[in-house]
Amino acid sequence: ILQNICWIFTKLCIYHVLIIRLQIAFWGSTHEYNRYSMLMAYCFVTIVSLTCIIGSFIDVQSIHFPTGWCLFIIPTWIILLPCALDLVCSIFALYLFMKPLKTMLSKIDLDN
């Protein structure tokens, strides 16, 4: 369980850094993103990650065998939710990084 929680917490930190990098990369430019939308993205990542962490504490069950083995029963949603979060955040971040670059390149093409 601890490994799952550390993995989710690591992903949470990675996405927080990614959102902060987006804010810093376009800070003060004409392509600066709305701070409210960045805060909402920050909150979304935090809430989904905390849901997974709390779910790891609550929903994961274990069966102990007399031979010393232990079997963990992990619900499907705890496995799929971080995967869905990765997919959504990766596509969202890629779009947000590419949008200003595409806009700048189109302006350069129009000037030439």
Side-chain angles (χ1 to χ4, degrees), residues 73-94:
I73 301 170
I74 302 173
T76 308
W77 71 269
I78 292 180
I79 297 169
L80 294 180
L81 191 59
C83 295
L85 178 67
D86 283 345
L87 184 66
V88 168
C89 288
S90 296
I91 291 171
F92 182 68
L94 181 66

Side-chain angles (χ1 to χ4, degrees), residues 16-32:
H16 281 184
V17 168
L18 192 63
I19 292 169
I20 291 170
R21 283 183 65 195
L22 265 171
Q23 289 177 321
I24 291 171
F26 301 112
W27 189 279
S29 71
T30 57
H31 305 290
E32 181 178 3

Side-chain angles (χ1 to χ4, degrees), residues 4-5 8 47-57 77-78 81-82 85:
N4 187 34
I5 292 170
I8 294 169
I47 289 170
V48 172
S49 298
L50 289 178
T51 301
C52 292
I53 290 172
I54 292 169
S56 296
F57 280 119
W77 71 269
I78 292 180
L81 191 59
L85 178 67

